[in-house]
Amino acid sequence: ETNTLPFHPFENQQGDILRVEKEHQVLKEQLKEAEEKFEQLQSRSLEEIGALEELLKKSTEETEVSQNELDWFHQDSEAQMKKWQQEKKENRENLKALRSTAKKHSDTNERYLKTIDDKEKQYNVCLNTFLETSNKFASEKGKLEELIKKSQDDSQECEKRAVKAEVSVLQTWKETEIWKLKGTIAKAEGNLRMLKALSSSASAAPVLKSQIDSWEIFIANVKKQLEKVEAEYEEKIELVKNGARNCLSKVEIVDVPSP
């Protein structure tokens, strides 16, 4: 299509067709030049014949004046006639050679025209085959593009469902762990309230103070654990929503021993 490579099977190497066309053009120009040369030679011969005829007429009129001049005229006429005949013979031979060359060039031209016609037919056959193949590939390409688009849509839908499922699992794990930790906090706070109620007695206060402090520290640690678990699960959920992978794992829970 860009004429940068030989066009098989019409060219053995790049430029064969252009070279044949150039040779054809050169032969046409040579034939034209030969025809012009022949016309010039013919015109010159006609002019010389006219001059000789005029000279013959003049010599005939002067025969009465001098026989010697008549003899001289005959001699000169014969010489001129021989010269003209020789030139005519040469011109005929040249014309014969030119006609032979012209016929040779004409035969070559016809052969090239036939070759070009055959190559053009082969080219049209190849072009039709190429167009049929191209249309077939275009149709298959359209079908493949539709399948690719459908696969992409299905993939996106599956990805959305997978993200939704992972978020749901992480949300369930988070709620479960928060529920457990909140239950632990609620029990600890109940124990703490009971100890504080018992410590209202002056005699029991010194004995229960250390236990109350232990339970308060325990509750504070569990609340920190609760905040940490909730934050880490929320972070995982956001990562999954943003397209992250390999985030479906439970947050590590540190077991805080109760007093």
Side-chain angles (χ1 to χ4, degrees):
E1 291 182 355
T2 59
N3 198 24
T4 58
L5 294 174
F7 187 47
H8 296 293
F10 312 111
E11 294 181 318
N12 292 325
Q13 60 183 2
Q14 184 179 359
D16 281 349
I17 292 177
L18 292 177
R19 186 168 62 256
V20 169
E21 290 179 350
K22 289 181 180 178
E23 290 176 357
H24 180 204
Q25 186 64 30
V26 169
L27 293 176
K28 287 176 67 176
E29 291 176 357
Q30 290 179 353
L31 178 61
K32 182 179 179 181
E33 182 180 357
E35 290 176 348
E36 292 176 354
K37 186 175 180 180
F38 170 74
E39 290 176 358
Q40 291 175 0
L41 290 174
Q42 190 177 30
S43 175
R44 190 176 70 180
S45 298
L46 291 174
E47 290 175 359
E48 290 178 355
I49 290 172
L52 290 173
E53 289 177 350
E54 184 67 24
L55 182 61
L56 180 62
K57 181 179 178 181
K58 183 177 179 181
S59 297
T60 303
E61 292 174 354
E62 293 177 352
T63 54
E64 296 177 359
V65 178
S66 176
Q67 186 64 36
N68 292 330
E69 291 181 355
L70 180 61
D71 294 338
W72 173 83
F73 174 76
H74 283 301
Q75 292 176 358
D76 185 68
S77 297
E78 289 177 358
Q80 292 290 337
M81 183 64 68
K82 288 180 180 179
K83 180 180 178 181
W84 175 80
Q85 288 177 349
Q86 182 65 28
E87 290 181 352
K88 183 177 181 181
K89 181 180 179 182
E90 292 177 355
N91 290 337
R92 285 180 178 175
E93 292 177 352
N94 291 334
L95 179 61
K96 183 178 180 181
L98 289 173
R99 285 177 176 173
S100 176
T101 303
K103 186 177 184 303
K104 181 179 179 181
H105 293 335
S106 178
D107 294 341
T108 302
N109 184 33
E110 290 179 359
R111 186 170 64 253
Y112 285 156
L113 288 174
K114 185 177 183 302
T115 301
I116 291 172
D117 185 60
D118 294 339
K119 297 296 184 183
E120 186 176 1
K121 291 178 180 178
Q122 295 177 7
Y123 167 77
N124 290 330
V125 171
C126 293
L127 179 62
N128 293 332
T129 303
F130 167 75
L131 291 175
E132 291 176 0
T133 306
S134 178
N135 293 332
K136 180 179 178 181
F137 285 159
S139 177
E140 292 179 356
K141 179 183 177 183
K143 293 179 181 178
L144 289 176
E145 287 177 348
E146 291 179 359
L147 290 175
I148 290 171
K149 185 177 182 303
K150 185 177 182 301
S151 298
Q152 289 176 344
D153 294 341
D154 293 342
S155 176
Q156 290 176 357
E157 184 64 26
C158 290
E159 185 176 352
K160 289 179 181 179
R161 290 200 301 269
V163 169
K164 186 176 180 180
E166 288 185 13
V167 169
S168 176
V169 170
L170 291 172
Q171 190 71 29
T172 301
W173 287 347
K174 183 188 79 170
E175 292 175 356
T176 301
E177 295 298 334
I178 289 174
W179 177 79
K180 290 179 180 178
L181 291 173
K182 285 185 176 180
T184 302
I185 292 171
K187 290 180 180 178
E189 287 177 345
N191 292 335
L192 183 61
R193 284 195 297 273
M194 183 179 64
L195 289 173
K196 285 182 178 181
L198 293 174
S199 67
S200 59
S201 172
S203 59
V207 178
L208 299 176
K209 185 178 185 306
S210 61
Q211 294 187 24
I212 291 173
D213 293 338
S214 297
W215 279 106
E216 287 178 345
I217 293 172
F218 173 75
I219 291 172
N221 290 334
V222 175
K223 286 182 177 180
K224 289 180 181 179
Q225 185 71 15
L226 175 63
E227 293 175 357
K228 175 178 175 296
V229 169
E230 188 172 7
E232 290 187 8
Y233 271 116
E234 287 296 331
E235 182 180 358
K236 283 178 175 290
I237 290 171
E238 288 300 321
L239 288 174
V240 171
K241 288 181 178 179
N242 292 330
R245 294 293 179 268
N246 300 324
C247 296
L248 194 60
S249 60
K250 290 185 177 182
V251 174
E252 184 179 355
I253 306 297
V254 178
D255 188 14
V256 180
S258 61

